[in-house]
Amino acid sequence: MTTLVDKCSVDTPFTTGRQHIKRHAKRRCYEVPSSNGFHEVIRPISSVRCKPEISSVTISQQQPPNTPGHQAPARIADCLKPYVTADSQWWQWKYNSRIHYKQQGLSGPCILLVHGFGVGAYHFDELILKLSATCQVWAVDLLGQGMSWPETEPPEEARLRFSIETWTHQLTDFVEQVIQQPVYLAGNSLGGLLSAHLAATQPNLCRGVIFLNATPFWSFMPHPETAPRLVTAVLPWNGTLPVPRLARFLVKNLWWSLLSRRRVVQSLVRNVYADKSAADDALVDQILASTQHPLALDAFVSILFAPQARLSFDGMLASMQCPVCMIYGREDPWVVPLWGQRLKRLLADAVYLEVSPAGHCPHHEAPTAVHEAMSKWVQSVEGGKPLPWAVGEQWKHQHLTVTHVDGSARNVFEKADVLWYAIRKRFFRSARAQKS
């Protein structure tokens, strides 16, 4: 197919506003030039606002919809091109988006790895390599993260918003259309919450769930079906694109301009790692690359205003019907051990393995230890046999210690949380009984 290439102006909202290039000032161009000094954006010439330099190019024929494969999208942002690797694969999904994923392993149980906020499938690179010896492993970039983005501006009628339910629909379709059989879900942080939501709402697709320091909360906006009418009236926008100008302006100036700075990203990442050397420049570079995507700011604003899932995290856990394993870094400053203990109280049969010293991302910081824990647990579930480690037992991985814990409180704060949780649970039960 032959089309025209605009070598300068990028139409709104595909403008990051991050850096004003003086040499392009008359063309109102706010994009960072590519290596050749131009922005080669493929689109009809009728949408160009300034006098561009035009050339004719040929785009390779795209694959049919929903057909996964190695062919990269015809349109991919310059900021992401350096990170397309030989094992990158692509799947066309809703919202005219191309979803990036990786797959290794020819036989064994199927495992789907789901990353946390701000990173991508690359966060599991070492773990994928180790697991693929005995399992079929997939790792997918969530829409609006990593290298999974709409190829063109989503139309307003598409009603795209970057929310828990959108990402869960993405994972559901990915399992059904790409993997095509039930999987073990392994999710870190946000990915753990999504894994719980998928297991609760689509139990037929899940053989088991592995939580890697799963976050138990996401979004401050209530779900429309559960929020009081007054709240929904006060909050008229629910995160669907296009983003209102006022919301975009406020978020950009209050948070985005700060959060997309290298030193801030580097500081945030290193803060959640026990081993600071694992939070290296290569990791920071890949995180920053996604923030330079033309839709990154809009995606971030949508995430902030998108509503919570209909089910709370506790509600998701109560609805799950599959085996559960928890592999948590003990030194996580965000999802502290208290949250793992709460999860264990709700799922008494769950296996709780604690890695120390390790932070919020044990799969990236301690992939060897996490690989052994994951593979042994999957083997025990598949074979119907107990784990080789009894509760209370420890084993070493170089400088790391992995402990099979029972989830009991170990300090005064954790004991206070146990008491508060018991009081709250009893109070709500009695309140519900009186209402009924």
Side-chain angles (χ1 to χ4, degrees), residues 241-257:
L241 299 187
V243 174
R245 291 184 179 180
L246 179 59
R248 198 173 194 273
F249 174 81
L250 291 175
V251 171
K252 176 184 173 182
N253 289 280
L254 292 176
W255 293 297
W256 184 252
S257 297

Side-chain angles (χ1 to χ4, degrees), residues 137-154:
V137 190
W138 283 262
V140 61
D141 288 354
L142 299 172
L143 184 62
Q145 311 280 315
M147 291 193 286
S148 293
W149 296 89
E151 290 193 274
T152 58
E153 178 188 356

Side-chain angles (χ1 to χ4, degrees), residues 46-107:
S46 59
S47 62
V48 179
R49 294 184 175 181
C50 60
K51 185 178 180 181
E53 298 180 35
I54 302 299
S55 64
S56 179
V57 297
T58 300
I59 306 175
S60 58
Q61 186 175 1
Q62 293 185 6
Q63 293 176 313
N66 299 327
T67 302
H70 289 275
Q71 183 179 354
R75 305 177 186 181
I76 184 168
D78 287 342
C79 58
L80 302 179
K81 287 179 181 178
Y83 300 102
V84 178
T85 60
D87 61 346
S88 291
Q89 298 192 51
W90 308 87
W91 165 61
Q92 187 169 330
W93 192 51
K94 299 190 301 184
Y95 312 112
N96 196 27
S97 61
R98 295 281 279 191
I99 304 301
H100 173 261
Y101 70 97
K102 298 183 177 185
Q103 195 279 322
Q104 289 190 34
L106 300 175
S107 62

Side-chain angles (χ1 to χ4, degrees), residues 29-59:
C29 181
Y30 287 80
E31 291 289 310
V32 179
S34 57
S35 58
N36 61 4
F38 297 104
H39 316 304
E40 296 187 355
V41 180
I42 300 168
R43 58 198 176 95
I45 191 59
S46 59
S47 62
V48 179
R49 294 184 175 181
C50 60
K51 185 178 180 181
E53 298 180 35
I54 302 299
S55 64
S56 179
V57 297
T58 300
I59 306 175

Side-chain angles (χ1 to χ4, degrees), residues 158-197:
R159 305 291 294 168
L160 168 60
R161 66 183 175 204
F162 297 90
S163 65
I164 293 296
E165 293 186 345
T166 297
W167 289 322
T168 303
H169 291 156
Q170 176 192 339
L171 295 176
T172 299
D173 289 347
F174 187 82
V175 173
E176 292 178 340
Q177 298 176 18
V178 179
I179 302 177
Q180 298 182 352
Q181 57 182 305
V183 299
Y184 288 92
L185 292 162
N188 169 238
S189 191
L190 168 62
L193 178 63
L194 295 175
S195 298
H197 195 218

Side-chain angles (χ1 to χ4, degrees), residues 226-239:
T226 58
R229 292 183 180 180
L230 179 61
V231 174
T232 56
V234 173
L235 300 171
W237 185 60
N238 61 359

Side-chain angles (χ1 to χ4, degrees), residues 399-435:
H399 66 288
L400 297 167
T401 301
V402 184
T403 308
H404 188 178
V405 298
D406 61 2
S408 58
R410 291 170 293 202
N411 58 48
V412 63
F413 298 105
E414 294 171 359
K415 290 177 181 178
D417 182 69
V418 173
L419 178 61
W420 164 246
Y421 187 84
I423 293 173
R424 188 179 63 172
K425 187 176 180 180
R426 184 170 183 178
F427 172 78
F428 279 119
R429 274 187 178 178
S430 59
R432 287 175 183 171
Q434 289 177 4
K435 287 183 179 179

